[in-house]
Amino acid sequence: MACVVVCLCLVFAGANAIWDRMTDYSTTLNINWGFSLPKEAHYSETYSLESEASVFGDGIRYHVFSCENPEPIDEMFSWQTEESGTGLYASCSEACSEWLSQIDVPLEEYPDYAACLYWYQQGRQEDDRDEIILFWNESTGVLYVVEFFL
């Protein structure tokens, strides 16, 4: 009987670990953009909103993460202090504001652009017009992820 209980506990723990891995947005980032959020950052998602799903997978996704340990996030990319333009907008903050307004994100959930570092990437394939912008507020340990799929 004890062996059955132990086996059930192991199965439950394994299923729980698989579920956590499948529902972690970092896995989605890795599939779509080729990077994951470092586990060492001890991040937790504090806000998210996405446009309605479409047949073609296009739309806007917005996720905000609080990071207990900022150092791994600091080392993820060559963060920029100066905003660059995107494929569709003159600046990252302009693109972000436009996209977030389209999905009705409350203003209090927007990044404080002046306090953030920036990282931008256009789609991973030559003709891909998808875009991702990360805003990293080092002082508060908050990472903002905005994705636009066209």
Side-chain angles (χ1 to χ4, degrees), residues 19-46:
W19 177 256
D20 285 347
R21 177 97 169 117
M22 288 174 44
T23 59
D24 182 0
Y25 199 72
S26 186
T27 302
T28 303
L29 288 170
N30 191 23
I31 291 167
N32 290 335
W33 302 101
F35 71 86
S36 299
L37 300 178
K39 290 181 183 181
E40 301 81 25
H42 303 289
Y43 62 88
S44 59
E45 190 170 38
T46 60

Short mmCIF file of all heavy atoms in Angstrom, two decimals, residues 19-46:
data_model
loop_
_atom_site.label_atom_id
_atom_site.label_comp_id
_atom_site.label_asym_id
_atom_site.label_seq_id
_atom_site.Cartn_x
_atom_site.Cartn_y
_atom_site.Cartn_z
N TRP A 19 3.24 20.23 -16.24
CA TRP A 19 2.23 21.28 -16.42
C TRP A 19 2.84 22.67 -16.21
O TRP A 19 2.60 23.58 -16.97
CB TRP A 19 1.06 21.07 -15.47
CG TRP A 19 0.05 22.16 -15.56
CD1 TRP A 19 -0.16 23.18 -14.70
CD2 TRP A 19 -0.89 22.35 -16.63
NE1 TRP A 19 -1.16 23.99 -15.15
CE2 TRP A 19 -1.64 23.51 -16.33
CE3 TRP A 19 -1.17 21.66 -17.81
CZ2 TRP A 19 -2.63 23.99 -17.17
CZ3 TRP A 19 -2.18 22.14 -18.63
CH2 TRP A 19 -2.89 23.29 -18.30
N ASP A 20 3.65 22.82 -15.17
CA ASP A 20 4.31 24.10 -14.91
C ASP A 20 5.20 24.50 -16.08
O ASP A 20 5.22 25.66 -16.49
CB ASP A 20 5.15 24.04 -13.63
CG ASP A 20 4.31 24.07 -12.37
OD1 ASP A 20 3.11 24.38 -12.46
OD2 ASP A 20 4.86 23.75 -11.30
N ARG A 21 5.90 23.55 -16.63
CA ARG A 21 6.80 23.83 -17.77
C ARG A 21 6.00 24.23 -19.01
O ARG A 21 6.37 25.14 -19.73
CB ARG A 21 7.64 22.58 -18.05
CG ARG A 21 8.53 22.71 -19.24
CD ARG A 21 9.92 23.10 -18.79
NE ARG A 21 10.84 22.95 -19.90
CZ ARG A 21 11.48 23.97 -20.43
NH1 ARG A 21 11.34 25.16 -19.94
NH2 ARG A 21 12.30 23.78 -21.42
N MET A 22 4.87 23.56 -19.24
CA MET A 22 4.07 23.84 -20.43
C MET A 22 3.36 25.19 -20.33
O MET A 22 3.10 25.83 -21.34
CB MET A 22 3.04 22.73 -20.65
CG MET A 22 3.65 21.43 -21.13
SD MET A 22 2.49 20.07 -21.24
CE MET A 22 1.06 20.79 -21.98
N THR A 23 3.00 25.62 -19.14
CA THR A 23 2.25 26.86 -18.97
C THR A 23 3.13 28.06 -18.67
O THR A 23 2.63 29.17 -18.58
CB THR A 23 1.19 26.71 -17.86
OG1 THR A 23 1.84 26.36 -16.64
CG2 THR A 23 0.16 25.65 -18.23
N ASP A 24 4.43 27.87 -18.54
CA ASP A 24 5.36 28.96 -18.29
C ASP A 24 5.56 29.72 -19.60
O ASP A 24 5.93 29.14 -20.62
CB ASP A 24 6.69 28.40 -17.78
CG ASP A 24 7.71 29.45 -17.45
OD1 ASP A 24 7.42 30.65 -17.60
OD2 ASP A 24 8.81 29.07 -17.04
N TYR A 25 5.35 31.03 -19.59
CA TYR A 25 5.45 31.81 -20.82
C TYR A 25 6.86 31.82 -21.39
O TYR A 25 7.07 32.07 -22.57
CB TYR A 25 4.92 33.23 -20.62
CG TYR A 25 4.59 33.87 -21.95
CD1 TYR A 25 3.48 33.44 -22.67
CD2 TYR A 25 5.40 34.83 -22.51
CE1 TYR A 25 3.20 33.97 -23.91
CE2 TYR A 25 5.12 35.38 -23.75
CZ TYR A 25 4.00 34.94 -24.45
OH TYR A 25 3.72 35.45 -25.69
N SER A 26 7.84 31.53 -20.57
CA SER A 26 9.21 31.47 -21.05
C SER A 26 9.37 30.41 -22.14
O SER A 26 10.13 30.58 -23.09
CB SER A 26 10.16 31.18 -19.89
OG SER A 26 11.49 31.26 -20.31
N THR A 27 8.63 29.31 -22.02
CA THR A 27 8.65 28.27 -23.05
C THR A 27 8.14 28.82 -24.37
O THR A 27 8.71 28.56 -25.43
CB THR A 27 7.81 27.06 -22.60
OG1 THR A 27 8.32 26.58 -21.36
CG2 THR A 27 7.83 25.95 -23.63
N THR A 28 7.07 29.61 -24.32
CA THR A 28 6.52 30.23 -25.53
C THR A 28 7.52 31.20 -26.14
O THR A 28 7.68 31.24 -27.37
CB THR A 28 5.20 30.95 -25.20
OG1 THR A 28 4.30 30.01 -24.63
CG2 THR A 28 4.58 31.58 -26.43
N LEU A 29 8.19 31.98 -25.32
CA LEU A 29 9.22 32.90 -25.83
C LEU A 29 10.33 32.13 -26.54
O LEU A 29 10.81 32.56 -27.59
CB LEU A 29 9.80 33.74 -24.69
CG LEU A 29 8.90 34.82 -24.11
CD1 LEU A 29 9.52 35.41 -22.85
CD2 LEU A 29 8.61 35.90 -25.14
N ASN A 30 10.71 31.01 -25.98
CA ASN A 30 11.76 30.21 -26.60
C ASN A 30 11.31 29.68 -27.96
O ASN A 30 12.07 29.71 -28.93
CB ASN A 30 12.16 29.07 -25.68
CG ASN A 30 13.42 28.38 -26.16
OD1 ASN A 30 14.22 28.94 -26.89
ND2 ASN A 30 13.59 27.15 -25.74
N ILE A 31 10.08 29.23 -28.06
CA ILE A 31 9.57 28.71 -29.33
C ILE A 31 9.49 29.82 -30.37
O ILE A 31 9.90 29.64 -31.51
CB ILE A 31 8.18 28.05 -29.12
CG1 ILE A 31 8.33 26.78 -28.30
CG2 ILE A 31 7.50 27.78 -30.45
CD1 ILE A 31 7.02 26.22 -27.77
N ASN A 32 8.97 30.98 -29.97
CA ASN A 32 8.74 32.07 -30.92
C ASN A 32 9.98 32.89 -31.24
O ASN A 32 10.12 33.40 -32.36
CB ASN A 32 7.65 33.01 -30.41
CG ASN A 32 6.29 32.37 -30.44
OD1 ASN A 32 6.02 31.45 -31.21
ND2 ASN A 32 5.41 32.83 -29.57
N TRP A 33 10.87 33.08 -30.26
CA TRP A 33 11.96 34.05 -30.42
C TRP A 33 13.35 33.49 -30.16
O TRP A 33 14.35 34.19 -30.36
CB TRP A 33 11.71 35.26 -29.52
CG TRP A 33 10.41 35.91 -29.84
CD1 TRP A 33 9.24 35.79 -29.13
CD2 TRP A 33 10.12 36.76 -30.94
NE1 TRP A 33 8.25 36.51 -29.75
CE2 TRP A 33 8.76 37.13 -30.86
CE3 TRP A 33 10.88 37.26 -32.00
CZ2 TRP A 33 8.14 37.96 -31.79
CZ3 TRP A 33 10.27 38.10 -32.93
CH2 TRP A 33 8.91 38.43 -32.81
N GLY A 34 13.44 32.27 -29.66
CA GLY A 34 14.76 31.65 -29.47
C GLY A 34 15.45 32.01 -28.17
O GLY A 34 16.66 31.82 -28.05
N PHE A 35 14.73 32.54 -27.19
CA PHE A 35 15.33 32.78 -25.87
C PHE A 35 14.31 32.46 -24.78
O PHE A 35 13.11 32.46 -25.02
CB PHE A 35 15.83 34.23 -25.72
CG PHE A 35 14.73 35.25 -25.62
CD1 PHE A 35 14.16 35.57 -24.39
CD2 PHE A 35 14.27 35.91 -26.76
CE1 PHE A 35 13.15 36.51 -24.30
CE2 PHE A 35 13.26 36.85 -26.68
CZ PHE A 35 12.69 37.15 -25.44
N SER A 36 14.82 32.16 -23.61
CA SER A 36 13.98 31.89 -22.45
C SER A 36 14.36 32.84 -21.33
O SER A 36 15.48 33.35 -21.29
CB SER A 36 14.19 30.46 -21.95
OG SER A 36 13.84 29.53 -22.94
N LEU A 37 13.44 33.06 -20.44
CA LEU A 37 13.76 33.84 -19.25
C LEU A 37 14.57 32.96 -18.31
O LEU A 37 14.22 31.80 -18.08
CB LEU A 37 12.49 34.31 -18.55
CG LEU A 37 11.56 35.19 -19.38
CD1 LEU A 37 10.32 35.55 -18.58
CD2 LEU A 37 12.28 36.45 -19.84
N PRO A 38 15.68 33.47 -17.78
CA PRO A 38 16.51 32.65 -16.90
C PRO A 38 15.81 32.33 -15.58
O PRO A 38 15.32 33.23 -14.90
CB PRO A 38 17.76 33.50 -16.67
CG PRO A 38 17.47 34.84 -17.22
CD PRO A 38 16.22 34.79 -18.01
N LYS A 39 15.78 31.06 -15.24
CA LYS A 39 15.14 30.64 -13.99
C LYS A 39 15.81 31.28 -12.77
O LYS A 39 15.16 31.53 -11.77
CB LYS A 39 15.18 29.12 -13.87
CG LYS A 39 14.27 28.42 -14.84
CD LYS A 39 14.31 26.93 -14.68
CE LYS A 39 13.42 26.34 -15.77
NZ LYS A 39 13.36 24.92 -15.72
N GLU A 40 17.12 31.56 -12.92
CA GLU A 40 17.87 32.15 -11.81
C GLU A 40 17.36 33.54 -11.45
O GLU A 40 17.67 34.06 -10.38
CB GLU A 40 19.36 32.24 -12.15
CG GLU A 40 20.01 30.93 -12.48
CD GLU A 40 19.76 30.48 -13.92
OE1 GLU A 40 19.50 31.32 -14.81
OE2 GLU A 40 19.80 29.26 -14.16
N ALA A 41 16.58 34.15 -12.34
CA ALA A 41 16.00 35.47 -12.05
C ALA A 41 14.86 35.38 -11.05
O ALA A 41 14.45 36.38 -10.49
CB ALA A 41 15.52 36.14 -13.34
N HIS A 42 14.38 34.17 -10.83
CA HIS A 42 13.24 33.94 -9.92
C HIS A 42 12.09 34.89 -10.26
O HIS A 42 11.64 35.68 -9.43
CB HIS A 42 13.66 34.08 -8.45
CG HIS A 42 14.77 33.15 -8.07
ND1 HIS A 42 14.59 31.80 -7.94
CD2 HIS A 42 16.09 33.39 -7.82
CE1 HIS A 42 15.75 31.23 -7.62
NE2 HIS A 42 16.66 32.17 -7.55
N TYR A 43 11.64 34.77 -11.50
CA TYR A 43 10.60 35.66 -12.00
C TYR A 43 9.21 35.09 -11.75
O TYR A 43 9.03 33.88 -11.59
CB TYR A 43 10.79 35.91 -13.51
CG TYR A 43 10.68 34.67 -14.35
CD1 TYR A 43 9.45 34.22 -14.83
CD2 TYR A 43 11.82 33.92 -14.67
CE1 TYR A 43 9.35 33.08 -15.60
CE2 TYR A 43 11.72 32.79 -15.44
CZ TYR A 43 10.50 32.36 -15.90
OH TYR A 43 10.40 31.22 -16.65
N SER A 44 8.26 35.99 -11.70
CA SER A 44 6.86 35.59 -11.64
C SER A 44 6.06 36.57 -12.50
O SER A 44 6.37 37.76 -12.55
CB SER A 44 6.34 35.58 -10.20
OG SER A 44 6.47 36.85 -9.62
N GLU A 45 5.08 36.04 -13.18
CA GLU A 45 4.25 36.87 -14.05
C GLU A 45 3.26 37.64 -13.19
O GLU A 45 2.54 37.06 -12.38
CB GLU A 45 3.52 36.00 -15.07
CG GLU A 45 2.84 36.79 -16.14
CD GLU A 45 2.32 35.91 -17.27
OE1 GLU A 45 1.84 34.79 -16.99
OE2 GLU A 45 2.42 36.34 -18.42
N THR A 46 3.24 38.96 -13.36
CA THR A 46 2.35 39.80 -12.56
C THR A 46 1.18 40.36 -13.36
O THR A 46 0.19 40.80 -12.78
CB THR A 46 3.13 40.97 -11.93
OG1 THR A 46 3.71 41.76 -12.98
CG2 THR A 46 4.21 40.46 -10.99
#
